[in-house]
Amino acid sequence: MPLSIPGARRRLALVAIVLPTYVAKSLVKFPDRIHQVTRATGTGDVLDFRQLLEGTVHIDHEVPVQLTTLVNSVVPTDSNAVTLCASFEVTRRDRTDTSRLLDASVDQVTVSRTTGMPQRRPAMTMFELDQKPLETVRHGLQYKFPFGTAKRDHPYFDAISQRETTMAYVDDSTVRNGLRLLHFRADIPVVDLSGLLPMRGRVDLPARLLGGKGGDELVGVSLYYSATRDYWVEPTTGAVVIINEHQLRYLATTADAPDRITVFDGDLKFDDQTIDQMATQVAAARKQITALRVIGPSIAALGSVAALIIGIRRLRSARYRRSMSAGTVGGTT
């Protein structure tokens, strides 16, 4: 059966087209070495736990609050995945003693270096000292959006509630430091945290503190949480440049109980220094991605064209040898 050069030529030409695109995608990856500190500041209503322990409910209003997040890459990390360990600390900026600490947690998840999606291995979260880490297999984004982020809803995982929800696309009207950003929003419904926080998610309080009858009779209450979180993402890199959030935590007998004690009710957003820092890093990353998508495929294309030429020559040589062999056999019969 004669060898079809046009068919083989088309297959080689297809390789020359597809290979550069594959090379571009394989070169653009999330870094394997991460050390990132961000700060979000704001104000809120905060329960004074020192007075609560003394039997009095006192809410401080317009308290200056700061959320500091430290993200590091840790093992296991390889050419395909990177493990991110994020430490969170929420503090009162108006105090310097131990009562300044409002909340702290550590979250660790392994994500794909090309898509930003979590891998099929347990992620771990620790909310309290000496607590056994909570393990979850996640399916939503957290710290990184995909390269070439699309203007659509994305799956999102909220580490505080340990729940998956939707990061809904809002608009692309925000421009910061010359970068056009995509706006996404996640609404986390009210969640009972007592099962996640064994030491402080469920407490007994005198009934009088909840406005009910019973005086000093103890009543069990749970810690409830909800939040609205806004992300502004640079689409080329998938990097989160700005975060704003409103968070609510309260103690109550049920989620919809009219008598409840506010633990925290406030707004936090990246400060200007953090936003400028993120924007500078993103601008540099965009240039690197552009170079990889242009130079990388160009090199691959040159290699593909060379392979195409060599392949065609080999095919022609093979057909010539077959035709010569056929002619020789015909002359001897």
Side-chain angles (χ1 to χ4, degrees):
M1 182 177 180
L3 183 62
S4 173
I5 291 180
R9 189 180 294 171
R10 282 196 296 271
R11 289 192 291 273
L12 285 169
L14 181 61
V15 172
I17 294 172
V18 173
L19 182 59
T21 302
Y22 173 78
V23 169
K25 290 184 177 180
S26 64
L27 288 176
V28 178
K29 290 185 177 182
F30 195 52
D32 59 351
R33 294 184 180 181
I34 307 296
H35 177 78
Q36 183 75 63
V37 178
T38 61
R39 293 180 178 84
T41 58
T43 58
D45 297 339
V46 179
L47 174 67
D48 190 326
F49 277 96
R50 292 184 302 188
Q51 295 196 38
L52 183 67
L53 294 175
E54 296 172 357
T56 302
V57 173
H58 177 76
I59 308 297
D60 293 322
H61 301 284
E62 297 298 316
V63 175
V65 178
Q66 177 171 297
L67 165 61
T68 303
T69 304
L70 169 63
V71 180
N72 282 313
S73 53
V74 297
V75 294
T77 291
D78 54 34
S79 60
N80 298 315
V82 57
T83 299
L84 303 175
C85 182
S87 302
F88 303 91
E89 184 182 73
V90 182
T91 56
R92 298 181 56 146
R93 301 173 67 189
D94 61 339
R95 292 184 178 177
T96 57
D97 59 10
T98 55
S99 67
R100 64 187 290 271
L101 181 64
L102 299 179
D103 194 29
S105 61
V106 178
D107 184 62
Q108 181 170 305
V109 61
T110 302
V111 302
S112 166
R113 291 182 59 192
T114 55
T115 67
M117 294 298 290
Q119 300 291 283
R120 290 181 175 273
R121 64 182 68 177
M124 296 180 291
T125 307
M126 182 178 291
F127 294 107
E128 299 174 331
L129 292 176
D130 300 325
Q131 176 190 17
K132 182 180 179 180
L134 302 172
E135 295 189 0
T136 54
V137 177
R138 304 174 186 179
H139 304 284
L141 301 168
Q142 287 183 250
Y143 308 109
K144 170 76 171 67
F145 278 64
F147 293 106
T149 299
K151 298 178 182 181
R152 61 174 177 79
D153 296 353
H154 294 270
Y156 174 72
F157 183 85
D158 176 57
I160 297 176
S161 65
Q162 296 286 291
R163 301 285 181 87
E164 292 180 5
T165 184
T166 298
M167 185 64 75
Y169 172 69
V170 179
D171 59 51
D172 66 347
S173 61
T174 301
V175 177
R176 182 66 187 250
N177 293 41
L179 301 172
R180 183 166 294 278
L181 308 175
L182 304 185
H183 179 194
F184 297 91
R185 174 174 295 157
D187 289 307
I188 295 94
V190 176
V191 178
D192 183 349
L193 297 182
S194 60
L196 303 176
L197 306 174
M199 295 178 62
R200 53 193 172 96
R202 181 80 177 173
V203 296
D204 293 327
L205 296 175
R208 58 182 171 78
L209 297 183
L210 296 169
K213 298 179 180 180
D216 289 331
E217 180 182 350
L218 295 180
V219 176
V221 294
S222 294
L223 178 63
Y224 291 90
Y225 152 85
S226 66
T228 297
R229 192 164 291 120
D230 289 272
Y231 281 14
W232 280 265
V233 178
E234 196 289 311
T236 300
T237 60
V240 180
V241 179
I242 305 173
I243 297 180
N244 287 2
E245 72 171 272
H246 176 82
Q247 191 176 134
L248 172 65
R249 300 193 190 202
Y250 60 90
L251 294 168
T253 53
T254 62
D256 56 355
D259 296 318
R260 61 190 190 185
I261 300 174
T262 298
V263 174
F264 177 75
D265 185 1
D267 297 289
L268 291 165
K269 62 181 180 180
F270 274 3
D271 60 22
D272 288 338
Q273 181 179 348
T274 294
I275 295 174
D276 290 341
Q277 167 189 307
M278 298 301 296
T280 298
Q281 294 178 1
V282 167
R286 276 169 55 96
K287 291 181 180 179
Q288 293 177 349
I289 290 173
T290 300
L292 289 172
R293 285 178 172 169
V294 173
I295 298 174
S298 297
I299 295 173
L302 290 175
S304 300
V305 171
L308 178 61
I309 294 171
I310 294 171
I312 290 174
R313 287 177 177 174
R314 287 178 177 174
L315 290 173
R316 284 175 174 171
S317 177
R319 187 176 69 169
Y320 176 75
R321 288 194 300 269
R322 288 176 64 90
S323 63
M324 288 297 293
S325 175
T328 301
V329 172
T332 59
T333 56

